Amino acid sequence: MADKEKRRSGAAPPGMPDGKATKSDCDREFLSQAGVGELLRGAILKMVEARSDDPIGFLADHFCNLASVTEPGTAGCGDADQMNNGPQSAQEQQHLNRALWHLRLAHHSQRSAFSNNVCVAYDLLNSTGPRRRAAEVPECPEGSCNDSQTEVGGGVRGGLYTQTLQCLCSEGGVPASTSAPLLRRLHCQDHEAVPYDVFRHGVLTCAVFSDYIRQAQRLYAEVCCPDEGPASRALGMAVLGTLREALETSQGSEANCCVNANTKSNSCLEANVKAKRYLEASAKISPYKLGQAMATAQTRGPGGDMDAKEFENAAAELFITRVKVLS
Amino acid sequence: MSSSSSDVLLPVDSSIKPPVFLHLGDTEPLSGVCVLDVTLPFGKTVNVEEISFKNHYTASVSMRLLRTGPPSQWVTAVRDLPLMENPHTEGGSQDYCCIHRTQMQVDPDHVISVRLILKQPSSTWRSFSLDDIRILPHKQQDPEKEVSDWLSDLTLADQHTDLEGLPPPQSVSSSLQQMFALTEVMMQSNETTASIGRFHVDGCYDINLLSLL
């Protein structure tokens, strides 16, 4: 089809050898005016970063998002009143949704992509404030984080940050009751301004926590042999007990690892000690050790059953007690 | 030898009888030969690692061991080991000595009793003996407990405990490992986090302000 058009345009004005060139020049000009090249490049880069399973859906979402940027962005510019009204203005909600969309793009194990997305999300949420710049463009992951921080007022609003964490947990499939203790450790007051480091830590922790809970649910399914009903309490406790031991071993002699002038120079020694601790910890959750623990529990453990919820809560507790309380 | 063995070993309980000076016939003068018996607690045998003592003007020493095993017999482990270069002079007269099992002519294993024969031909030194005699037992080297304990457990993969009715340890273990890894990721992030400065009040601890009180 395109060939035919070209041939037609080429054939029609035979006296003009530049006919084809003009047409494609027009095309090129039109494309550059519309900024389509940039759009597509941005979309492809995002897609490469996210590596989602559904490329078409991803692209559709992406362009939908961009569309929602440009429309009310221009409309809400002069609407200063709207931002002060009510605890959650429509614009804030929109920023939140977009920030969450960005955070969903990459899994936390894809370090650089995840960091970029967190940066973008932070900028988005940071911009929601009384002194919002009209010409704000969301996609500037390279180094704008600190700039906007100093420009706009020190950080993301505490309430917004807490809400982000709540949404992340619930989207990750964690029931509210399970994530509540975690959020108590991570949340910020509404009047506080959250700096980037804290924001990143909170987001990462919630992402990791959702993975952890999903894994715990899978673990329960394995331990429980579903056709036989709930898992035995002894077995559940034994399995979680080995995990607790491993975690304690790996963090083990934190107290003994004295930070004095002598040990600081022995970073090699410290690394060896750490490596040895990790090896020891992982030996505790090896299949052989586990088999032993489970066999012992079966014969000598407490009676009764353990339902999924209790197992999940016990596993969550192992994680949450190790989360540093924000202060 | 390696330092670890001396840390762990304790000298064997032994009783040392008072030295017996030998002499011919009824003559009083000292013959310059003295016998010391070191006996172990009854019924106990020792594999000797080394014998240490402090010399007191003994010129040379021989050592005989009584070993068990039918028939129990005396064997010479050390013959005329010189302790003093010159019996008449002071050299080596108060040295600390140690005879290791490798210096002995026989293997000092399953020993019931040790007899030390001291000789001092010089008339300069009328009384001579060995003090502070200790027998250190021979011990098998223990493998290093530090790392190999749990490592060797890991290699016992073939020993199947009875896993009837239990979930497969492989899959349970891999789930646990992932949970462990996730927790470690979170804790690493813990360490690098800044604080929000919730309890900081700017300027509150300024020295200048305090001076206004």
Side-chain angles (χ1 to χ4, degrees):
Chain A
M1 187 95 155
D3 287 342
K4 278 191 194 153
E5 280 181 6
K6 273 197 190 144
R7 262 183 257 124
R8 237 185 293 139
S9 63
M16 291 176 61
D18 299 330
K20 280 189 211 161
T22 313
K23 182 69 165 53
S24 51
D25 272 345
C26 284
D27 287 340
R28 215 171 285 145
E29 225 180 272
F30 164 71
L31 288 175
S32 63
Q33 263 181 356
V36 171
E38 284 306 313
L39 267 180
L40 287 177
R41 191 177 305 136
I44 292 176
L45 279 175
K46 270 272 173 237
M47 196 154 99
V48 166
E49 252 185 25
R51 295 188 190 269
S52 107
D53 292 327
D54 174 24
I56 295 182
F58 176 85
L59 285 172
D61 272 338
H62 175 74
F63 287 118
C64 215
N65 232 321
L66 280 185
S68 62
V69 173
T70 46
E71 283 165 29
T74 44
C77 221
D79 232 329
D81 291 340
Q82 196 184 14
M83 293 171 223
N84 296 332
N85 286 348
Q88 181 88 96
S89 66
Q91 194 168 50
E92 248 191 15
Q93 184 63 45
Q94 197 188 58
H95 280 291
L96 182 61
N97 289 339
R98 281 172 49 209
L100 287 169
W101 182 83
H102 279 284
L103 291 173
R104 255 179 268 137
L105 283 180
H107 190 252
H108 64 80
S109 58
Q110 300 164 264
R111 288 302 171 84
S112 52
F114 186 75
S115 291
N116 284 344
N117 294 338
V118 171
C119 215
V120 170
Y122 183 79
D123 281 340
L124 268 173
L125 295 174
N126 204 3
S127 63
T128 313
R131 283 168 289 145
R132 184 176 155 271
R133 292 185 304 174
E136 182 234 345
V137 173
E139 62 254 34
C140 38
E142 58 274 27
S144 71
C145 299
N146 293 331
D147 296 341
S148 50
Q149 195 176 356
T150 46
E151 293 243 9
V152 187
V156 172
R157 191 170 65 81
L160 202 52
Y161 159 78
T162 308
Q163 232 182 340
T164 311
L165 297 186
Q166 278 167 343
C167 292
L168 276 177
C169 284
S170 63
E171 278 173 18
V174 182
S177 56
T178 314
S179 59
L182 178 68
L183 290 172
R184 271 199 292 276
R185 290 190 172 225
L186 290 178
H187 82 306
C188 284
Q189 305 296 331
D190 198 33
H191 61 270
E192 288 174 323
V194 180
Y196 176 69
D197 279 341
V198 174
F199 181 82
R200 184 172 185 278
H201 173 64
V203 165
L204 179 64
T205 306
C206 285
V208 171
F209 186 64
S210 337
D211 274 357
Y212 180 87
I213 291 295
R214 269 201 296 273
Q215 197 64 26
Q217 289 166 347
R218 253 175 261 150
L219 179 62
Y220 182 76
E222 276 164 15
V223 168
C224 116
C225 313
D227 40 330
E228 294 171 13
S232 86
R233 172 175 299 275
L235 211 51
M237 298 303 289
V239 166
L240 289 178
T242 54
L243 181 59
R244 179 185 296 114
E245 264 178 42
L247 286 170
E248 278 167 11
T249 310
S250 76
Q251 292 309 300
S253 338
E254 280 298 338
N256 297 346
C257 208
C258 43
V259 186
N260 59 33
N262 295 333
T263 49
K264 266 183 189 157
S265 56
N266 277 347
S267 61
C268 187
L269 200 63
E270 241 179 66
N272 282 346
V273 170
K274 251 193 169 176
K276 195 180 129 197
R277 275 213 300 254
Y278 277 127
L279 280 178
E280 222 176 312
S282 44
K284 296 207 154 87
I285 43 179
S286 66
Y288 174 66
K289 281 282 183 220
L290 254 185
Q292 273 187 329
M294 291 198 290
T296 319
Q298 208 178 34
T299 51
R300 289 196 287 156
D305 291 331
M306 191 182 215
D307 67 351
K309 188 66 195 160
E310 202 185 333
F311 188 85
E312 200 178 283
N313 286 343
E317 198 223 332
L318 281 179
F319 185 95
I320 295 175
T321 43
R322 288 172 173 83
V323 174
K324 196 168 87 167
V325 177
L326 199 59
S327 68
Chain B
M1 299 292 269
S2 63
S3 59
S4 59
S5 52
S6 58
D7 292 346
V8 177
L9 298 175
L10 296 170
V12 176
D13 253 346
S14 52
S15 60
I16 304 172
K17 295 190 181 142
V20 174
F21 286 87
L22 307 180
H23 49 89
L24 288 172
D26 294 329
T27 52
E28 278 302 324
L30 302 166
S31 60
V33 182
C34 163
V35 174
L36 269 180
D37 269 324
V38 183
T39 43
L40 301 169
F42 182 69
K44 204 175 165 194
T45 63
V46 166
N47 300 347
V48 176
E49 173 80 10
E50 62 183 26
I51 291 184
S52 64
F53 51 82
K54 181 176 186 298
N55 189 10
H56 186 75
Y57 296 95
T58 307
S60 68
V61 67
S62 299
M63 188 160 79
R64 299 198 85 203
L65 306 171
L66 179 61
R67 290 200 293 195
T68 54
S72 54
Q73 52 180 297
W74 285 97
V75 288
T76 306
V78 174
R79 186 181 289 282
D80 288 328
L81 177 72
L83 298 177
M84 287 165 67
E85 286 169 6
N86 186 334
H88 300 289
T89 59
E90 285 269 358
S93 58
Q94 296 182 54
D95 281 354
Y96 288 91
C97 297
C98 167
I99 305 176
H100 195 264
R101 66 187 275 133
T102 47
Q103 295 167 283
M104 301 181 194
Q105 290 167 3
V106 294
D107 275 336
D109 291 327
H110 311 296
V111 168
I112 306 173
S113 182
V114 176
R115 178 169 286 167
L116 295 162
I117 301 164
L118 316 180
K119 292 184 188 160
Q120 178 48 276
S122 166
S123 54
T124 324
W125 315 114
R126 297 223 171 166
S127 67
F128 53 93
S129 69
L130 297 180
D131 298 330
D132 198 21
I133 300 175
R134 292 184 202 196
I135 301 180
L136 290 179
H138 179 64
K139 270 209 181 131
Q140 295 301 325
Q141 282 284 26
D142 276 338
E144 246 220 10
K145 282 270 176 195
E146 287 262 325
V147 168
S148 66
D149 247 0
W150 41 265
L151 264 187
S152 59
D153 278 348
L154 287 180
T155 55
L156 292 172
D158 293 335
Q159 287 189 13
H160 290 300
T161 46
D162 184 16
L163 292 175
E164 285 247 2
L166 288 176
Q170 291 286 349
S171 55
V172 173
S173 169
S174 93
S175 293
L176 279 183
Q177 286 166 28
Q178 292 193 35
M179 287 165 77
F180 176 76
L182 287 169
T183 315
E184 287 296 322
V185 166
M186 178 273 294
M187 290 201 280
Q188 276 178 10
S189 169
N190 257 348
E191 290 165 20
T192 52
T193 265
S195 85
I196 199 175
R198 188 170 284 164
F199 302 111
H200 289 174
V201 181
D202 285 338
C204 191
Y205 297 106
D206 209 3
I207 292 290
N208 296 331
L209 287 181
L210 288 175
S211 66
L212 292 177
L213 292 171

